[in-house]
Amino acid sequence: MKKWISALGILALVATLILAACGTSGNQGNQGASDQGQQGATNDQKPAEQKKTFKVGMVTDVGGVNDNSFNQSAWEGLQQFAKDTGAEVKYAQSTSDTDYIPNLNDFVKNGYDLTWGIGYLMADHVKQVAEQNPNAKLAIIDGVVEGPQNVESVTFSENEGSFLVGVVAGLMTKTNKIGFVGGMEIPVIKRFEAGFKAGVAAVNPKAEVIINYTGAFDKPDEGKAAAASIYDAGADIIFHASGKTGDGVFGEANDRLKNGKQVWVIGVDRDQRDLGPDITLTSMMKRVDVAVQTISKATMDGNFKGGVTTLGLKDNAVGLPADNPHVPKEVLDKVAEYQQKIIKGEITVPQE
């Protein structure tokens, strides 16, 4: 009997110890969570709780990331953004328009914080992806996407910057014949053409501007043929707005220089002197790189706004490079004079 009572006592003691242990464990768990929260506030978050890396994707148009033009400028801007902020950036190259939606979707489905589409021709594709993914944020260069609020469209007043290089061409031509090579005949390229012709006419109404559209942004051979035709017609300066097709314009001018004939090219989108230091008169800078950096940083900071942003001379987004070794000071002074007139609204540059 005593053994039985003793056994009951032992069982009761064990049960008491178990209950006490359970109660202590629960308190430690709650305290641990509190300690962890305090520790995160003072010693940075633990690896599992660290803020995820901000990621930006970019889809090129068919010109590719090394087009020496706006795709390349956009990628350079994203690379600088990554360097400045620690963000992760990546591009997907499109070889045809059938690649646009798969490339855009690849970034969106993989949780990228912002996805860029580069080029006017991507507008409908960006719109479709945005409508199907309302929680994603997208942006486009040179195109306007109306409707979905999760797209920021960035356009430029290319006509204003083109007016200024038209002033250079009009004052520096020796033959009074000047060329313009365009890619596809779309609104953004027509703005280049309209502004350029207006700038030439403002300072040299006797000059003739010969227009040649190749219909492509990725055909250097066609750019070379177009340039040859214009130079053969007597032009001594050609302004191109044709993406990678423009590489052929530079190629033709370089070939002519090797044969002892000095002709000039006006580059586009970025300072293109690297394509021919001795034949590049100047370039119409279009700061796609700055636009991409600015919108990406705003999105990172929680200030994505959607809608349309247009950048022009007043924003320092278009114009000549800082260094123009082949342009005389008196011509640059005239450029500065017209630039101020445009900024002040004394001159309205045509868009078409």
Coordinates of all heavy atoms in Angstrom, one line a residue, residues 12 117 187 216 219 233 250 261 264 314 320 332:
A12 N 2.7 12.5 -9.4 CA 2.3 13.8 -9.2 C 3.4 14.8 -9.3 O 3.3 15.9 -9.9 CB 1.6 14.0 -7.8
G117 N 10.7 49.1 -71.1 CA 10.6 48.8 -72.5 C 11.2 50.0 -73.2 O 10.9 51.1 -73.0
P187 N 6.4 58.9 -85.3 CA 6.3 60.2 -84.8 C 7.6 60.7 -84.1 O 8.0 61.8 -84.3 CB 5.2 60.1 -83.7 CG 4.2 59.1 -84.4 CD 5.1 58.1 -85.0
A216 N 14.2 51.1 -91.1 CA 14.7 50.1 -90.1 C 15.7 50.8 -89.1 O 16.3 51.8 -89.5 CB 15.5 49.0 -90.8
K219 N 19.7 48.2 -89.4 CA 20.3 47.8 -90.7 C 21.4 48.7 -91.1 O 21.2 49.6 -92.0 CB 19.2 47.8 -91.8 CG 18.0 47.0 -91.5 CD 18.3 45.5 -91.5 CE 17.0 44.6 -91.3 NZ 17.3 43.2 -91.2
A233 N 24.8 63.2 -103.8 CA 23.9 64.3 -104.3 C 24.5 65.7 -103.9 O 23.9 66.7 -104.2 CB 22.5 64.2 -103.7
F250 N 28.0 56.5 -90.4 CA 29.4 56.7 -90.0 C 30.4 56.0 -90.8 O 31.5 56.5 -91.2 CB 29.5 56.4 -88.5 CG 29.0 57.4 -87.6 CD1 27.7 57.3 -87.1 CD2 29.8 58.4 -87.2 CE1 27.2 58.2 -86.2 CE2 29.3 59.4 -86.3 CZ 27.9 59.3 -85.8
K261 N 38.1 62.8 -98.9 CA 37.0 63.7 -99.0 C 36.4 63.9 -97.6 O 36.0 63.0 -96.9 CB 35.9 63.2 -99.9 CG 34.8 64.1 -100.1 CD 33.9 63.7 -101.2 CE 32.7 64.6 -101.4 NZ 33.1 66.0 -101.7
W264 N 30.8 65.2 -93.1 CA 30.5 65.2 -91.7 C 29.2 64.4 -91.3 O 28.3 64.3 -92.2 CB 30.3 66.6 -91.1 CG 31.5 67.5 -91.2 CD1 31.7 68.4 -92.2 CD2 32.6 67.4 -90.4 NE1 32.9 69.0 -91.9 CE2 33.5 68.4 -90.8 CE3 33.0 66.7 -89.3 CZ2 34.7 68.7 -90.2 CZ3 34.2 66.9 -88.7 CH2 35.0 67.9 -89.1
K314 N 14.7 72.6 -71.4 CA 14.7 73.2 -70.1 C 15.1 72.2 -69.0 O 15.5 72.6 -67.9 CB 13.3 73.7 -69.8 CG 12.2 72.7 -69.8 CD 10.8 73.3 -69.5 CE 9.7 72.3 -69.6 NZ 9.9 71.1 -68.7
L320 N 23.4 69.6 -77.4 CA 24.7 69.3 -77.8 C 25.5 68.7 -76.7 O 25.3 69.0 -75.5 CB 25.4 70.5 -78.5 CG 25.1 70.8 -79.9 CD1 23.7 71.1 -80.2 CD2 26.0 71.9 -80.4
L332 N 28.8 78.0 -81.9 CA 28.3 77.6 -80.6 C 27.6 78.7 -79.9 O 26.6 78.5 -79.2 CB 29.4 77.0 -79.7 CG 30.1 75.7 -80.2 CD1 31.3 75.3 -79.3 CD2 29.0 74.6 -80.2

